[in-house]
Amino acid sequence: PSEAASLSERALTLSEIHVRTSPNNTEYIRDYVDALLIRAYSLQNQQRHREAIGLLEQGLRRQLDLQRTSPESKRFQRELQETYEAMGDSYLALGEEARALEHYEKGRERTVALL
């Protein structure tokens, strides 16, 4: 787990460099969000849910910005659904059931949008 955490941190660092060099490149932004999410999942596995939520929120903001560029994209809907569910998982682990439910419902809305 520690090696995985280290590698996910390295991926995040590299993705940040790419986004800084080309801030409007959709693929770089998606890669950066993927790196944020992978790092967040690593933190969740370590029971560091507050830290995970911070990264998930950063990723969610970027995903929502990307979705505005292509609102019909099923790919963005699926990615948003996964992020909302991960946030729900962390809130649930922290005992914040109402916030967990709010995020699970947002994830369900994205699932329905995929249909």
Side-chain angles (χ1 to χ4, degrees):
S2 62
E3 184 178 357
S6 175
L7 291 171
S8 68
E9 192 65 40
R10 177 77 175 133
L12 182 57
T13 299
L14 293 172
S15 291
E16 287 172 337
I17 292 168
H18 287 136
V19 169
R20 276 197 307 269
T21 61
S22 187
N24 297 319
N25 183 310
T26 302
E27 289 306 311
Y28 284 169
I29 295 168
R30 286 193 69 254
D31 289 345
Y32 174 70
V33 169
D34 284 346
L36 283 171
L37 299 180
I38 291 167
R39 182 67 182 123
Y41 299 151
S42 172
L43 292 169
Q44 284 177 319
N45 287 333
Q46 298 171 35
Q47 306 303 310
R48 295 166 56 188
H49 293 285
R50 288 271 174 233
E51 293 171 78
I53 288 170
L55 292 177
L56 292 166
E57 287 174 343
Q58 287 179 47
L60 181 63
R61 282 192 297 274
R62 291 290 186 124
Q63 287 173 319
L64 291 170
D65 287 343
L66 280 177
Q67 185 196 14
R68 287 183 195 98
T69 65
S70 185
E72 71 285 346
S73 173
K74 291 194 181 296
R75 179 181 190 175
F76 293 147
Q77 294 295 335
R78 182 188 52 76
E79 291 170 350
L80 282 164
Q81 176 258 334
E82 291 173 0
T83 303
Y84 280 123
E85 287 184 4
M87 291 178 78
D89 291 345
S90 279
Y91 281 119
L92 186 61
L94 293 169
E96 297 182 34
E97 290 88 4
R99 291 188 85 181
L101 181 59
E102 172 188 334
H103 287 84
Y104 288 140
E105 287 175 346
K106 288 180 181 180
R108 181 189 51 81
E109 289 170 10
R110 300 303 173 162
T111 301
V112 170
L114 288 169
L115 302 174

PDB file of all heavy atoms in Angstrom, residues 34-61:
ATOM      1  N   ASP A  34      -8.046  11.895 -13.029  1.00  0.00           N
ATOM      2  CA  ASP A  34      -7.816  10.468 -12.739  1.00  0.00           C
ATOM      3  C   ASP A  34      -6.762  10.306 -11.649  1.00  0.00           C
ATOM      4  O   ASP A  34      -6.916   9.477 -10.742  1.00  0.00           O
ATOM      5  CB  ASP A  34      -7.377   9.716 -13.991  1.00  0.00           C
ATOM      6  CG  ASP A  34      -8.513   9.445 -14.959  1.00  0.00           C
ATOM      7  OD1 ASP A  34      -9.684   9.602 -14.566  1.00  0.00           O
ATOM      8  OD2 ASP A  34      -8.215   9.089 -16.117  1.00  0.00           O
ATOM      9  N   ALA A  35      -5.695  11.083 -11.729  1.00  0.00           N
ATOM     10  CA  ALA A  35      -4.642  10.999 -10.713  1.00  0.00           C
ATOM     11  C   ALA A  35      -5.168  11.440  -9.345  1.00  0.00           C
ATOM     12  O   ALA A  35      -4.847  10.821  -8.324  1.00  0.00           O
ATOM     13  CB  ALA A  35      -3.441  11.843 -11.129  1.00  0.00           C
ATOM     14  N   LEU A  36      -5.993  12.486  -9.320  1.00  0.00           N
ATOM     15  CA  LEU A  36      -6.609  12.916  -8.056  1.00  0.00           C
ATOM     16  C   LEU A  36      -7.456  11.801  -7.459  1.00  0.00           C
ATOM     17  O   LEU A  36      -7.393  11.520  -6.260  1.00  0.00           O
ATOM     18  CB  LEU A  36      -7.492  14.145  -8.276  1.00  0.00           C
ATOM     19  CG  LEU A  36      -6.835  15.502  -8.434  1.00  0.00           C
ATOM     20  CD1 LEU A  36      -7.866  16.532  -8.871  1.00  0.00           C
ATOM     21  CD2 LEU A  36      -6.173  15.923  -7.134  1.00  0.00           C
ATOM     22  N   LEU A  37      -8.255  11.170  -8.310  1.00  0.00           N
ATOM     23  CA  LEU A  37      -9.153  10.125  -7.837  1.00  0.00           C
ATOM     24  C   LEU A  37      -8.381   8.898  -7.348  1.00  0.00           C
ATOM     25  O   LEU A  37      -8.710   8.321  -6.309  1.00  0.00           O
ATOM     26  CB  LEU A  37     -10.148   9.740  -8.926  1.00  0.00           C
ATOM     27  CG  LEU A  37     -11.074  10.860  -9.395  1.00  0.00           C
ATOM     28  CD1 LEU A  37     -12.012  10.363 -10.483  1.00  0.00           C
ATOM     29  CD2 LEU A  37     -11.844  11.476  -8.253  1.00  0.00           C
ATOM     30  N   ILE A  38      -7.357   8.511  -8.071  1.00  0.00           N
ATOM     31  CA  ILE A  38      -6.547   7.368  -7.654  1.00  0.00           C
ATOM     32  C   ILE A  38      -5.902   7.648  -6.304  1.00  0.00           C
ATOM     33  O   ILE A  38      -5.886   6.796  -5.412  1.00  0.00           O
ATOM     34  CB  ILE A  38      -5.498   7.010  -8.722  1.00  0.00           C
ATOM     35  CG1 ILE A  38      -6.199   6.430  -9.956  1.00  0.00           C
ATOM     36  CG2 ILE A  38      -4.448   6.040  -8.180  1.00  0.00           C
ATOM     37  CD1 ILE A  38      -5.320   6.341 -11.180  1.00  0.00           C
ATOM     38  N   ARG A  39      -5.394   8.860  -6.145  1.00  0.00           N
ATOM     39  CA  ARG A  39      -4.799   9.241  -4.852  1.00  0.00           C
ATOM     40  C   ARG A  39      -5.867   9.232  -3.763  1.00  0.00           C
ATOM     41  O   ARG A  39      -5.629   8.763  -2.649  1.00  0.00           O
ATOM     42  CB  ARG A  39      -4.143  10.623  -4.969  1.00  0.00           C
ATOM     43  CG  ARG A  39      -3.476  11.072  -3.711  1.00  0.00           C
ATOM     44  CD  ARG A  39      -2.254  10.221  -3.364  1.00  0.00           C
ATOM     45  NE  ARG A  39      -1.700  10.688  -2.112  1.00  0.00           N
ATOM     46  CZ  ARG A  39      -1.527   9.917  -1.049  1.00  0.00           C
ATOM     47  NH1 ARG A  39      -1.799   8.641  -1.097  1.00  0.00           N
ATOM     48  NH2 ARG A  39      -1.044  10.416   0.061  1.00  0.00           N
ATOM     49  N   ALA A  40      -7.060   9.707  -4.079  1.00  0.00           N
ATOM     50  CA  ALA A  40      -8.154   9.709  -3.100  1.00  0.00           C
ATOM     51  C   ALA A  40      -8.532   8.285  -2.708  1.00  0.00           C
ATOM     52  O   ALA A  40      -8.752   7.998  -1.527  1.00  0.00           O
ATOM     53  CB  ALA A  40      -9.363  10.451  -3.654  1.00  0.00           C
ATOM     54  N   TYR A  41      -8.593   7.385  -3.687  1.00  0.00           N
ATOM     55  CA  TYR A  41      -8.916   5.990  -3.379  1.00  0.00           C
ATOM     56  C   TYR A  41      -7.853   5.383  -2.454  1.00  0.00           C
ATOM     57  O   TYR A  41      -8.162   4.612  -1.550  1.00  0.00           O
ATOM     58  CB  TYR A  41      -9.033   5.152  -4.648  1.00  0.00           C
ATOM     59  CG  TYR A  41     -10.107   5.588  -5.616  1.00  0.00           C
ATOM     60  CD1 TYR A  41      -9.961   5.360  -6.974  1.00  0.00           C
ATOM     61  CD2 TYR A  41     -11.264   6.233  -5.187  1.00  0.00           C
ATOM     62  CE1 TYR A  41     -10.944   5.741  -7.876  1.00  0.00           C
ATOM     63  CE2 TYR A  41     -12.246   6.630  -6.082  1.00  0.00           C
ATOM     64  CZ  TYR A  41     -12.083   6.380  -7.423  1.00  0.00           C
ATOM     65  OH  TYR A  41     -13.050   6.771  -8.323  1.00  0.00           O
ATOM     66  N   SER A  42      -6.611   5.748  -2.695  1.00  0.00           N
ATOM     67  CA  SER A  42      -5.528   5.274  -1.836  1.00  0.00           C
ATOM     68  C   SER A  42      -5.739   5.759  -0.402  1.00  0.00           C
ATOM     69  O   SER A  42      -5.585   4.996   0.551  1.00  0.00           O
ATOM     70  CB  SER A  42      -4.188   5.772  -2.380  1.00  0.00           C
ATOM     71  OG  SER A  42      -3.142   5.497  -1.498  1.00  0.00           O
ATOM     72  N   LEU A  43      -6.106   7.026  -0.265  1.00  0.00           N
ATOM     73  CA  LEU A  43      -6.363   7.571   1.071  1.00  0.00           C
ATOM     74  C   LEU A  43      -7.570   6.897   1.725  1.00  0.00           C
ATOM     75  O   LEU A  43      -7.557   6.633   2.931  1.00  0.00           O
ATOM     76  CB  LEU A  43      -6.573   9.086   0.987  1.00  0.00           C
ATOM     77  CG  LEU A  43      -5.335   9.890   0.612  1.00  0.00           C
ATOM     78  CD1 LEU A  43      -5.707  11.334   0.303  1.00  0.00           C
ATOM     79  CD2 LEU A  43      -4.298   9.823   1.722  1.00  0.00           C
ATOM     80  N   GLN A  44      -8.593   6.609   0.936  1.00  0.00           N
ATOM     81  CA  GLN A  44      -9.749   5.901   1.484  1.00  0.00           C
ATOM     82  C   GLN A  44      -9.333   4.541   2.038  1.00  0.00           C
ATOM     83  O   GLN A  44      -9.778   4.140   3.108  1.00  0.00           O
ATOM     84  CB  GLN A  44     -10.827   5.711   0.413  1.00  0.00           C
ATOM     85  CG  GLN A  44     -11.613   6.959   0.109  1.00  0.00           C
ATOM     86  CD  GLN A  44     -12.624   6.739  -0.998  1.00  0.00           C
ATOM     87  OE1 GLN A  44     -12.347   6.068  -1.994  1.00  0.00           O
ATOM     88  NE2 GLN A  44     -13.797   7.317  -0.833  1.00  0.00           N
ATOM     89  N   ASN A  45      -8.488   3.841   1.292  1.00  0.00           N
ATOM     90  CA  ASN A  45      -8.026   2.525   1.744  1.00  0.00           C
ATOM     91  C   ASN A  45      -7.216   2.602   3.036  1.00  0.00           C
ATOM     92  O   ASN A  45      -7.136   1.637   3.775  1.00  0.00           O
ATOM     93  CB  ASN A  45      -7.206   1.837   0.656  1.00  0.00           C
ATOM     94  CG  ASN A  45      -8.075   1.346  -0.477  1.00  0.00           C
ATOM     95  OD1 ASN A  45      -9.253   1.050  -0.286  1.00  0.00           O
ATOM     96  ND2 ASN A  45      -7.505   1.270  -1.661  1.00  0.00           N
ATOM     97  N   GLN A  46      -6.643   3.772   3.291  1.00  0.00           N
ATOM     98  CA  GLN A  46      -5.877   3.993   4.520  1.00  0.00           C
ATOM     99  C   GLN A  46      -6.746   4.610   5.621  1.00  0.00           C
ATOM    100  O   GLN A  46      -6.235   5.020   6.650  1.00  0.00           O
ATOM    101  CB  GLN A  46      -4.687   4.904   4.235  1.00  0.00           C
ATOM    102  CG  GLN A  46      -3.692   4.341   3.263  1.00  0.00           C
ATOM    103  CD  GLN A  46      -2.657   5.383   2.872  1.00  0.00           C
ATOM    104  OE1 GLN A  46      -2.253   6.218   3.677  1.00  0.00           O
ATOM    105  NE2 GLN A  46      -2.228   5.346   1.624  1.00  0.00           N
ATOM    106  N   GLN A  47      -8.056   4.677   5.362  1.00  0.00           N
ATOM    107  CA  GLN A  47      -9.012   5.257   6.312  1.00  0.00           C
ATOM    108  C   GLN A  47      -8.744   6.745   6.578  1.00  0.00           C
ATOM    109  O   GLN A  47      -9.060   7.263   7.640  1.00  0.00           O
ATOM    110  CB  GLN A  47      -9.009   4.476   7.644  1.00  0.00           C
ATOM    111  CG  GLN A  47      -9.252   2.987   7.487  1.00  0.00           C
ATOM    112  CD  GLN A  47     -10.565   2.669   6.786  1.00  0.00           C
ATOM    113  OE1 GLN A  47     -11.598   3.192   7.154  1.00  0.00           O
ATOM    114  NE2 GLN A  47     -10.501   1.835   5.766  1.00  0.00           N
ATOM    115  N   ARG A  48      -8.196   7.438   5.598  1.00  0.00           N
ATOM    116  CA  ARG A  48      -7.930   8.883   5.708  1.00  0.00           C
ATOM    117  C   ARG A  48      -8.985   9.613   4.870  1.00  0.00           C
ATOM    118  O   ARG A  48      -8.689  10.237   3.865  1.00  0.00           O
ATOM    119  CB  ARG A  48      -6.501   9.159   5.237  1.00  0.00           C
ATOM    120  CG  ARG A  48      -5.480   8.514   6.154  1.00  0.00           C
ATOM    121  CD  ARG A  48      -4.079   8.466   5.585  1.00  0.00           C
ATOM    122  NE  ARG A  48      -3.565   9.763   5.188  1.00  0.00           N
ATOM    123  CZ  ARG A  48      -2.419   9.916   4.526  1.00  0.00           C
ATOM    124  NH1 ARG A  48      -1.683   8.863   4.207  1.00  0.00           N
ATOM    125  NH2 ARG A  48      -2.008  11.111   4.178  1.00  0.00           N
ATOM    126  N   HIS A  49     -10.208   9.499   5.330  1.00  0.00           N
ATOM    127  CA  HIS A  49     -11.352   9.941   4.539  1.00  0.00           C
ATOM    128  C   HIS A  49     -11.455  11.457   4.384  1.00  0.00           C
ATOM    129  O   HIS A  49     -11.884  11.928   3.332  1.00  0.00           O
ATOM    130  CB  HIS A  49     -12.644   9.356   5.113  1.00  0.00           C
ATOM    131  CG  HIS A  49     -12.700   7.876   4.946  1.00  0.00           C
ATOM    132  ND1 HIS A  49     -12.967   7.275   3.745  1.00  0.00           N
ATOM    133  CD2 HIS A  49     -12.484   6.867   5.830  1.00  0.00           C
ATOM    134  CE1 HIS A  49     -12.936   5.967   3.882  1.00  0.00           C
ATOM    135  NE2 HIS A  49     -12.633   5.693   5.141  1.00  0.00           N
ATOM    136  N   ARG A  50     -11.083  12.219   5.376  1.00  0.00           N
ATOM    137  CA  ARG A  50     -11.132  13.693   5.231  1.00  0.00           C
ATOM    138  C   ARG A  50     -10.203  14.141   4.109  1.00  0.00           C
ATOM    139  O   ARG A  50     -10.571  14.984   3.289  1.00  0.00           O
ATOM    140  CB  ARG A  50     -10.758  14.388   6.535  1.00  0.00           C
ATOM    141  CG  ARG A  50     -11.780  14.305   7.597  1.00  0.00           C
ATOM    142  CD  ARG A  50     -12.769  15.458   7.519  1.00  0.00           C
ATOM    143  NE  ARG A  50     -13.800  15.212   8.507  1.00  0.00           N
ATOM    144  CZ  ARG A  50     -15.086  15.202   8.254  1.00  0.00           C
ATOM    145  NH1 ARG A  50     -15.529  15.474   7.055  1.00  0.00           N
ATOM    146  NH2 ARG A  50     -15.957  14.945   9.193  1.00  0.00           N
ATOM    147  N   GLU A  51      -9.007  13.588   4.081  1.00  0.00           N
ATOM    148  CA  GLU A  51      -8.061  13.927   3.017  1.00  0.00           C
ATOM    149  C   GLU A  51      -8.588  13.468   1.660  1.00  0.00           C
ATOM    150  O   GLU A  51      -8.454  14.183   0.659  1.00  0.00           O
ATOM    151  CB  GLU A  51      -6.699  13.292   3.284  1.00  0.00           C
ATOM    152  CG  GLU A  51      -5.986  13.839   4.494  1.00  0.00           C
ATOM    153  CD  GLU A  51      -4.756  13.026   4.816  1.00  0.00           C
ATOM    154  OE1 GLU A  51      -3.732  13.217   4.125  1.00  0.00           O
ATOM    155  OE2 GLU A  51      -4.827  12.183   5.739  1.00  0.00           O
ATOM    156  N   ALA A  52      -9.178  12.294   1.636  1.00  0.00           N
ATOM    157  CA  ALA A  52      -9.738  11.765   0.389  1.00  0.00           C
ATOM    158  C   ALA A  52     -10.830  12.688  -0.135  1.00  0.00           C
ATOM    159  O   ALA A  52     -10.882  12.987  -1.333  1.00  0.00           O
ATOM    160  CB  ALA A  52     -10.280  10.354   0.602  1.00  0.00           C
ATOM    161  N   ILE A  53     -11.696  13.154   0.758  1.00  0.00           N
ATOM    162  CA  ILE A  53     -12.784  14.041   0.342  1.00  0.00           C
ATOM    163  C   ILE A  53     -12.229  15.313  -0.284  1.00  0.00           C
ATOM    164  O   ILE A  53     -12.747  15.788  -1.297  1.00  0.00           O
ATOM    165  CB  ILE A  53     -13.721  14.348   1.529  1.00  0.00           C
ATOM    166  CG1 ILE A  53     -14.549  13.102   1.857  1.00  0.00           C
ATOM    167  CG2 ILE A  53     -14.628  15.536   1.219  1.00  0.00           C
ATOM    168  CD1 ILE A  53     -15.335  13.192   3.152  1.00  0.00           C
ATOM    169  N   GLY A  54     -11.163  15.850   0.268  1.00  0.00           N
ATOM    170  CA  GLY A  54     -10.552  17.045  -0.320  1.00  0.00           C
ATOM    171  C   GLY A  54     -10.128  16.825  -1.762  1.00  0.00           C
ATOM    172  O   GLY A  54     -10.384  17.659  -2.632  1.00  0.00           O
ATOM    173  N   LEU A  55      -9.491  15.689  -2.023  1.00  0.00           N
ATOM    174  CA  LEU A  55      -9.068  15.382  -3.390  1.00  0.00           C
ATOM    175  C   LEU A  55     -10.265  15.098  -4.291  1.00  0.00           C
ATOM    176  O   LEU A  55     -10.290  15.505  -5.454  1.00  0.00           O
ATOM    177  CB  LEU A  55      -8.102  14.200  -3.398  1.00  0.00           C
ATOM    178  CG  LEU A  55      -6.743  14.448  -2.757  1.00  0.00           C
ATOM    179  CD1 LEU A  55      -5.914  13.173  -2.763  1.00  0.00           C
ATOM    180  CD2 LEU A  55      -6.004  15.569  -3.464  1.00  0.00           C
ATOM    181  N   LEU A  56     -11.254  14.381  -3.758  1.00  0.00           N
ATOM    182  CA  LEU A  56     -12.450  14.102  -4.550  1.00  0.00           C
ATOM    183  C   LEU A  56     -13.179  15.387  -4.921  1.00  0.00           C
ATOM    184  O   LEU A  56     -13.677  15.522  -6.042  1.00  0.00           O
ATOM    185  CB  LEU A  56     -13.375  13.156  -3.777  1.00  0.00           C
ATOM    186  CG  LEU A  56     -12.846  11.730  -3.590  1.00  0.00           C
ATOM    187  CD1 LEU A  56     -13.654  10.987  -2.537  1.00  0.00           C
ATOM    188  CD2 LEU A  56     -12.848  10.981  -4.912  1.00  0.00           C
ATOM    189  N   GLU A  57     -13.221  16.338  -3.996  1.00  0.00           N
ATOM    190  CA  GLU A  57     -13.863  17.626  -4.303  1.00  0.00           C
ATOM    191  C   GLU A  57     -13.111  18.367  -5.408  1.00  0.00           C
ATOM    192  O   GLU A  57     -13.728  18.951  -6.292  1.00  0.00           O
ATOM    193  CB  GLU A  57     -13.960  18.486  -3.045  1.00  0.00           C
ATOM    194  CG  GLU A  57     -15.010  17.994  -2.075  1.00  0.00           C
ATOM    195  CD  GLU A  57     -15.017  18.737  -0.758  1.00  0.00           C
ATOM    196  OE1 GLU A  57     -14.022  19.425  -0.426  1.00  0.00           O
ATOM    197  OE2 GLU A  57     -16.029  18.610  -0.034  1.00  0.00           O
ATOM    198  N   GLN A  58     -11.780  18.331  -5.352  1.00  0.00           N
ATOM    199  CA  GLN A  58     -10.990  18.955  -6.422  1.00  0.00           C
ATOM    200  C   GLN A  58     -11.305  18.295  -7.764  1.00  0.00           C
ATOM    201  O   GLN A  58     -11.481  18.980  -8.772  1.00  0.00           O
ATOM    202  CB  GLN A  58      -9.495  18.813  -6.138  1.00  0.00           C
ATOM    203  CG  GLN A  58      -8.957  19.673  -5.049  1.00  0.00           C
ATOM    204  CD  GLN A  58      -7.469  19.405  -4.852  1.00  0.00           C
ATOM    205  OE1 GLN A  58      -6.710  19.354  -5.824  1.00  0.00           O
ATOM    206  NE2 GLN A  58      -7.057  19.205  -3.619  1.00  0.00           N
ATOM    207  N   GLY A  59     -11.318  16.974  -7.762  1.00  0.00           N
ATOM    208  CA  GLY A  59     -11.616  16.242  -8.991  1.00  0.00           C
ATOM    209  C   GLY A  59     -13.014  16.538  -9.496  1.00  0.00           C
ATOM    210  O   GLY A  59     -13.223  16.727 -10.696  1.00  0.00           O
ATOM    211  N   LEU A  60     -13.970  16.613  -8.582  1.00  0.00           N
ATOM    212  CA  LEU A  60     -15.352  16.889  -8.961  1.00  0.00           C
ATOM    213  C   LEU A  60     -15.480  18.256  -9.630  1.00  0.00           C
ATOM    214  O   LEU A  60     -16.154  18.394 -10.656  1.00  0.00           O
ATOM    215  CB  LEU A  60     -16.254  16.805  -7.733  1.00  0.00           C
ATOM    216  CG  LEU A  60     -17.733  17.035  -7.967  1.00  0.00           C
ATOM    217  CD1 LEU A  60     -18.311  15.968  -8.889  1.00  0.00           C
ATOM    218  CD2 LEU A  60     -18.473  17.050  -6.635  1.00  0.00           C
ATOM    219  N   ARG A  61     -14.812  19.251  -9.072  1.00  0.00           N
ATOM    220  CA  ARG A  61     -14.858  20.595  -9.690  1.00  0.00           C
ATOM    221  C   ARG A  61     -14.344  20.550 -11.127  1.00  0.00           C
ATOM    222  O   ARG A  61     -14.947  21.123 -12.033  1.00  0.00           O
ATOM    223  CB  ARG A  61     -14.049  21.592  -8.867  1.00  0.00           C
ATOM    224  CG  ARG A  61     -14.756  22.072  -7.622  1.00  0.00           C
ATOM    225  CD  ARG A  61     -14.055  23.259  -6.986  1.00  0.00           C
ATOM    226  NE  ARG A  61     -12.707  22.957  -6.530  1.00  0.00           N
ATOM    227  CZ  ARG A  61     -12.407  22.442  -5.337  1.00  0.00           C
ATOM    228  NH1 ARG A  61     -13.359  22.133  -4.492  1.00  0.00           N
ATOM    229  NH2 ARG A  61     -11.154  22.213  -4.997  1.00  0.00           N
TER     230      ARG A  61
END
